[in-house]
Amino acid sequence: MRPPLETVALPADAIEIGRITDAWGIKGWFKVLPHSASPEALFSAKSWFLLPPDRPMKPQRGQEAAASAQQAWREPLLLHILEVKDHSDTVVARAQGIDDRNAAESLRGSRIFVPRSSFPAAADGEYYWVDLIGLQVINREGVDLGQVRDLMSTGPQTVLVIEAPAEAEGDKPVERMIPFVAAFVDGVDLPTKRITVDWQPDY
């Protein structure tokens, strides 16, 4: 058994943007946990590609059958989205072919992917996190500070988490954190995969 959806190939540029956490109501709606605080791609995409969770999720009471069905599939599935909306402190959605609570529960834990090419265009001076990961960070003096390994939100601002090779054999890689704000970031050049910053190696 598996969710009643079409089996497809995962697009080469697929990006994981969230996961389905549970059914919502009795008419096939389900709850979604976005990976981003600004999930524009989640709301704009008309189709989602689903993969099962990396690890089995503990079933809630009465959901043992749904959990068993969930573990019986491994190939990507195509979910045609009919509606996505904010509801209280969560996001809920409904999709073609998911018409009741049992069908929605069969999606529980599924990881949601969409093609990067389907993302809405970012506003001038704004960037998707996924486009910044892996970029080389260089300061004004041309010193290589490392690559962007991750980003994290600290509330009012985003911070670049940068990793550089260890300075000596046996040492851990050097980690730097640079606020992604105009005061420290001079520019982002996506074609050359480079970020220029006003930051020193010993900060």
Side-chain angles (χ1 to χ4, degrees):
M1 293 180 63
R2 63 170 175 79
L5 301 172
E6 175 189 356
T7 301
V8 294
L10 195 67
D13 63 341
I15 301 294
E16 185 173 350
I17 61 171
R19 67 182 179 91
I20 297 173
T21 60
D22 207 351
W24 184 71
I26 62 173
K27 296 185 178 180
W29 286 80
F30 46 88
K31 295 180 182 179
V32 177
L33 177 64
H35 288 338
S36 170
S38 302
E40 292 89 352
L42 189 69
F43 282 85
S44 65
K46 300 303 180 184
S47 297
W48 298 348
F49 296 82
L50 302 185
L51 285 177
D54 288 328
R55 296 181 299 277
M57 297 182 68
K58 183 178 180 180
Q60 297 178 1
R61 180 173 297 179
Q63 291 184 326
E64 289 81 1
S68 297
Q70 177 190 74
Q71 295 308 309
W73 61 280
R74 287 292 177 267
E75 67 278 9
L77 302 177
L78 181 61
L79 189 65
H80 295 291
I81 301 303
L82 300 176
E83 190 174 356
V84 185
K85 63 182 181 181
D86 287 309
H87 180 76
S88 299
D89 59 348
T90 190
V91 174
V92 295
R94 64 187 183 95
Q96 183 178 322
I98 307 299
D99 301 320
D100 57 32
R101 187 174 183 87
N102 287 339
E105 286 177 348
S106 74
L107 304 178
R108 184 171 177 261
S110 300
R111 298 154 59 205
I112 303 169
F113 293 76
V114 300
R116 172 62 185 87
S117 55
S118 72
F119 283 24
D124 187 38
E126 296 183 353
Y127 304 92
Y128 286 108
W129 284 19
V130 66
D131 293 337
L132 299 179
I133 292 175
L135 267 57
Q136 209 69 30
V137 181
I138 310 294
N139 72 6
R140 291 178 176 180
E141 291 72 36
V143 177
D144 187 346
L145 300 179
Q147 282 188 332
V148 179
R149 187 192 69 207
D150 199 0
L151 294 97
M152 63 184 212
S153 176
T154 61
Q157 64 188 22
T158 297
V159 174
L160 299 171
V161 180
I162 299 163
E163 185 174 289
E167 295 177 350
E169 187 175 351
D171 288 352
K172 294 182 178 180
V174 177
E175 183 178 87
R176 298 183 173 95
M177 294 189 181
I178 303 177
F180 191 63
V181 295
F184 302 114
V185 177
D186 292 338
V188 176
D189 191 335
L190 293 179
T192 63
K193 300 185 181 299
R194 175 176 291 197
I195 299 176
T196 304
V197 296
D198 181 14
W199 198 265
Q200 296 302 316
D202 55 353
Y203 282 3

